[in-house]
Amino acid sequence: MNRARSPARGAARPPRVRRLRRKELPVDTVALARFLLGKLVVRELPRARLVGRIVETEAYLVGDAACHAFRGMTERNRSLFRAHGHAYVYLAYGSSWMLNVSGEPEGTGAGVLIRALEPVSGLAAMERARGTRERRDLLRGPGRLAQALAIDRALDGTDLCARGPVWLGDDGADPGAHGASVRIGITKDAERILRYYVRGNRYVSGPGRLNP
DNA sequence: AACATGATGATCT
DNA sequence: GATCATCATGTTC
C-alpha cells in the first residue's frame, strides 16, 4: 500500500477511542442525531479496525410518515424498536445498505440514519471494499459508507454500545458547528428539518444548497 | 407501486 | 474538480 495516502500523516499512534455507554446517549431521537455528529463509527474486522467520523445524520421520529416504524413493527424494522443505541440495518433500492441508530426506549420505533462519515483510519480496507481510492467517495452517502465498512443485514440489531463488530466511539474531537436542513431522498413529511451536518465538512453528502 | 441510493456521463469552472 | 440529470436496482408492504 501507499503509505503516503494515509490520513494519519505525522501521527505516532492512532488516537485513543472510547466506546460510548448507553447512558451517555440522549434518549431522544432528535437530540441523538445532533449528539452523534463528531462521534465515531468503529467497525471491527478480522484484520483491521475501520473508523469514520459522523458528519451527517437524519432523524426519523415517532409520528413521522417517513420513518420505517410509522406503520408499526414488521420483521424488517424490528430493530428500530430496540432500546436507543442499537443498529437498524436495511436494504434500500435493492442494493444499498443503510445504517441507523435506534433512538428511543425499548418498544418505541424511531432512529437516526447515518448519512456520511469522514475517513479516520482503515482507509486501505475501505478502498478495497469500495473499489476506489477516491477518498471523498469512500464514506459520503449512506450506501457508500455501509459498503466501505462491510455493513449489511448481518449487523442488524447489533448493540452499538457494546464490544462487538460495530460500535460508537468518542475520541474527544470538537464536533464543530452544526447545520440543519430537510432530509434527502424522501417524499413523505419531506418539509421537516431533521437532517444535521457538520458545517464546511467536505465529506457531507447532498446538494450544495442543503449544506450552507 | 413505492422506495431514507449510487454510478455514470454531460457540462461548466 | 464540481454539480446535475438520468436510470438501474430488487426488497418491502
Side-chain angles (χ1 to χ4, degrees), chain A residues 33-40 53-56 118 170-179 197-201 204:
Chain A
R34 304 194 63 137
F35 172 86
L36 288 176
L37 293 178
K39 304 302 190 296
L40 304 171
R53 188 176 310 284
I54 300 170
V55 296
E56 183 186 356
E118 174 175 344
D170 183 7
D171 65 355
D174 188 322
H178 300 182
Y197 61 94
V198 175
R199 271 190 206 277
N201 187 287
V204 172

Side-chain angles (χ1 to χ4, degrees), chain A residues 156-195:
Chain A
D156 183 43
T158 300
D159 183 353
L160 298 172
C161 300
R163 191 180 179 82
V166 57
W167 45 273
L168 294 169
D170 183 7
D171 65 355
D174 188 322
H178 300 182
S181 81
V182 295
R183 294 171 291 183
I184 294 177
I186 62 169
T187 55
K188 295 175 293 191
D189 270 338
E191 309 80 17
R192 303 183 73 173
I193 306 300
L194 290 170
R195 170 178 175 265

Side-chain angles (χ1 to χ4, degrees), chain A residues 29 59-72 76-77 80-81 88 90 100 104 108-112 183 186 188-189 192 194:
Chain A
T29 304
Y60 288 85
L61 311 179
V62 172
D64 170 8
C67 180
H68 283 186
F70 185 64
R71 295 180 186 174
R76 175 177 73 154
N77 68 24
L80 268 186
F81 292 82
Y88 166 46
Y90 74 92
N100 300 254
E104 301 287 334
T108 299
V112 175
R183 294 171 291 183
I186 62 169
K188 295 175 293 191
D189 270 338
R192 303 183 73 173
L194 290 170

Side-chain angles (χ1 to χ4, degrees), chain A residues 7-207:
Chain A
R9 181 164 50 212
R13 55 178 172 72
R16 175 173 171 73
V17 178
R18 180 177 70 80
R19 181 161 39 242
L20 289 168
R21 299 183 294 268
R22 192 175 316 284
K23 70 179 198 177
E24 295 178 77
L25 303 182
V27 192
D28 172 90
T29 304
V30 168
L32 179 63
R34 304 194 63 137
F35 172 86
L36 288 176
L37 293 178
K39 304 302 190 296
L40 304 171
V41 172
V42 181
R43 175 73 166 107
E44 307 280 10
L45 292 176
R47 302 205 39 171
R49 167 179 286 189
L50 282 47
V51 182
R53 188 176 310 284
I54 300 170
V55 296
E56 183 186 356
T57 60
E58 283 178 352
Y60 288 85
L61 311 179
V62 172
D64 170 8
C67 180
H68 283 186
F70 185 64
R71 295 180 186 174
M73 189 186 295
T74 66
E75 187 170 352
R76 175 177 73 154
N77 68 24
R78 166 184 182 75
S79 296
L80 268 186
F81 292 82
R82 301 196 68 171
H84 65 299
H86 284 79
Y88 166 46
V89 179
Y90 74 92
L91 187 62
Y93 292 100
S95 54
S96 299
W97 295 99
M98 304 283 122
L99 172 65
N100 300 254
V101 182
S102 62
E104 301 287 334
E106 171 94 31
T108 299
V112 175
L113 171 67
I114 307 300
R115 279 199 61 90
L117 305 174
E118 174 175 344
V120 173
S121 61
L123 272 72
M126 296 179 193
E127 289 170 353
R128 279 197 301 277
R130 289 274 303 125
T132 179
R133 304 187 68 170
E134 199 56 52
R135 193 147 145 191
R136 194 170 178 231
D137 289 342
L138 292 179
L139 304 171
R140 181 172 53 117
R144 288 168 172 168
L145 74 87
Q147 184 179 36
L149 300 183
I151 289 170
D152 63 18
R153 173 133 298 170
L155 298 183
D156 183 43
T158 300
D159 183 353
L160 298 172
C161 300
R163 191 180 179 82
V166 57
W167 45 273
L168 294 169
D170 183 7
D171 65 355
D174 188 322
H178 300 182
S181 81
V182 295
R183 294 171 291 183
I184 294 177
I186 62 169
T187 55
K188 295 175 293 191
D189 270 338
E191 309 80 17
R192 303 183 73 173
I193 306 300
L194 290 170
R195 170 178 175 265
Y196 306 97
Y197 61 94
V198 175
R199 271 190 206 277
N201 187 287
R202 168 180 179 75
Y203 298 95
V204 172
S205 80

